[in-house]
Amino acid sequence: MVYIGCHLSVTKGYEAMGNVMKGFGGNTFAWFTRNPRGGKAKDIVDADAAALNEFVKTNNFGKLVAHGSYTMNLCASKPETRANGLDMLKKDLERMEYFSGNYYNFHPGSHVGQGIEKGIELIAEALNRYLTEDMNTVVLLETMAGKGSEVGSTFEELKEIIDRVTYKDKLGVCFDTCHTWDAGYDLVGDFDGVLTHFDNVIGLDRLKAVHLNDSKNERGSHKDRHEKIGEGYIGLEALKRIVTHPVLSDHPFILETPNDDEGYKKEIVMIKDFFA
Ligand code: FE
Ligand code: FE
Ligand code: ZN
């Protein structure tokens, strides 16, 4: 059993995404909680959210992985940018409660010259403002490629954020294969070693979801350019080992590859065939 899907557009509503993914042959998906470029979130329609929750149960979907906006920078140096990020986080987490029990992942942030330590402090401070004891969403920090001044391109940095957060049981990690590869982790030669390192630093129980991507660049490039499955530097064999790794079974795998609908359908079939 594998939970596989891709990013979908929320423009036609929530239940509609479930139907689209079923049509693609998948059983999980991701969506941006608002326009990826920022701006106002789609108003929640209670009935539509409830219909998606029902659809997910009936069709045995895995956990869904909503994605925060790329413009949300919780460790921005400009006060307006950070305030805007805090507001997005607050509203996104409120909205996620309509989809009780699922995941919300986001990019920890870019420290823009303030230094990694300051970045880590600001991100943790933001999480401590809005994570609550009774929330039903698990918030996932995404592993980053280390482009520019991104925070979270090493497991140690993610661990430092987690250590500072009060409600740690509401926190996990979303493992992006393109990002960890671009950050320098050897997913091809020693994926078991990467997992062992993750376990030693963060703990594998925090690894909740995977963004499944190939990479257009060599290991350690810090570029963050996703490639179609099997067409990049990570390659099909290594990605197959990742998807079928027993430690990751039952986790949602979300494709973020450069594809149209047909391309995603093909990749979903390809992934399911690993288990055939
Ligand atoms: Fe992401
Ligand atoms: Fe990602
Ligand atoms: Zn990326």
Side-chain angles (χ1 to χ4, degrees):
M1 183 66 181
V2 60
Y3 293 113
I4 179 74
C6 61
H7 268 268
L8 293 175
S9 163
V10 73
T11 49
K12 290 194 173 121
Y14 295 104
E15 190 189 17
M17 290 191 288
N19 280 306
V20 167
M21 187 44 61
K22 195 176 177 180
F24 280 14
N27 52 6
T28 180
F29 60 89
W31 73 97
F32 282 105
T33 50
R34 55 191 74 223
N35 183 311
R37 293 176 179 279
K40 196 176 180 298
K42 178 181 157 56
D43 286 334
I44 280 276
V45 182
D46 279 22
D48 187 20
L52 173 60
N53 292 335
E54 196 52 41
F55 182 95
V56 159
K57 257 190 241 159
T58 316
N59 291 281
N60 299 311
F61 272 37
K63 291 207 190 269
L64 309 176
V65 193
H67 197 308
S69 170
Y70 290 146
T71 59
M72 183 175 94
N73 187 3
L74 300 178
C75 59
S77 56
K78 281 190 191 150
E80 322 81 87
T81 310
R82 183 159 190 269
N84 192 28
L86 291 169
D87 186 57
M88 285 192 223
L89 178 65
K90 177 174 187 281
K91 289 182 176 145
D92 281 358
L93 292 182
E94 283 167 9
R95 191 172 305 110
M96 281 306 293
E97 290 301 296
Y98 284 87
F99 309 100
S100 181
N102 289 295
Y103 296 140
Y104 170 81
N105 98 269
F106 74 102
H107 297 182
S110 294
H111 64 72
V112 276
Q114 301 175 96
I116 287 279
E117 279 307 312
K118 183 72 181 168
I120 287 167
E121 263 173 47
L122 290 170
I123 294 159
E125 191 272 337
L127 291 168
N128 278 328
R129 282 192 199 206
Y130 302 118
L131 264 51
T132 62
E133 197 170 10
D134 56 354
M135 67 192 278
N136 292 298
T137 301
V138 175
V139 174
L140 307 182
L141 304 166
E142 185 165 342
T143 59
M144 300 312 293
K147 194 175 57 174
S149 65
E150 276 173 355
V151 178
S153 66
T154 67
F155 301 155
E156 286 78 3
E157 288 170 20
L158 295 174
K159 167 68 171 165
E160 277 201 58
I161 297 170
I162 295 165
D163 277 346
R164 286 168 164 80
V165 173
T166 307
Y167 298 119
K168 291 182 176 53
D169 58 321
K170 308 301 178 187
L171 261 190
V173 173
C174 176
F175 188 102
D176 187 307
T177 55
C178 170
H179 297 177
T180 45
W181 171 257
D182 284 19
Y185 291 102
D186 190 3
L187 271 48
V188 175
D190 188 17
F191 184 57
D192 276 314
V194 173
L195 285 181
T196 301
H197 184 183
F198 189 103
D199 197 30
N200 290 338
V201 176
I202 300 177
L204 280 170
D205 54 329
R206 289 220 191 266
L207 204 172
K208 304 290 191 190
V210 177
H211 281 170
L212 189 66
N213 304 305
D214 213 324
S215 173
K216 281 193 197 294
N217 292 286
E218 287 175 45
R219 178 158 81 93
S221 66
H222 303 294
K223 288 263 172 60
D224 190 2
R225 300 279 315 282
H226 302 191
E227 182 53 284
K228 292 181 178 126
I229 301 302
E231 294 185 20
Y233 278 87
I234 303 175
L236 191 62
E237 279 309 303
L239 289 168
K240 182 176 176 177
R241 279 197 296 276
I242 293 169
V243 173
T244 56
H245 199 288
V247 154
L248 302 176
S249 66
D250 298 331
H251 290 42
F253 286 84
I254 305 293
L255 297 160
E256 301 178 308
T257 45
N259 273 307
D260 55 13
D261 290 0
E262 289 310 309
Y264 282 126
K265 281 185 205 169
K266 271 191 212 158
E267 289 190 344
I268 288 167
V269 168
M270 190 194 300
I271 302 307
K272 285 162 72 183
D273 278 350
F274 292 162
F275 295 83

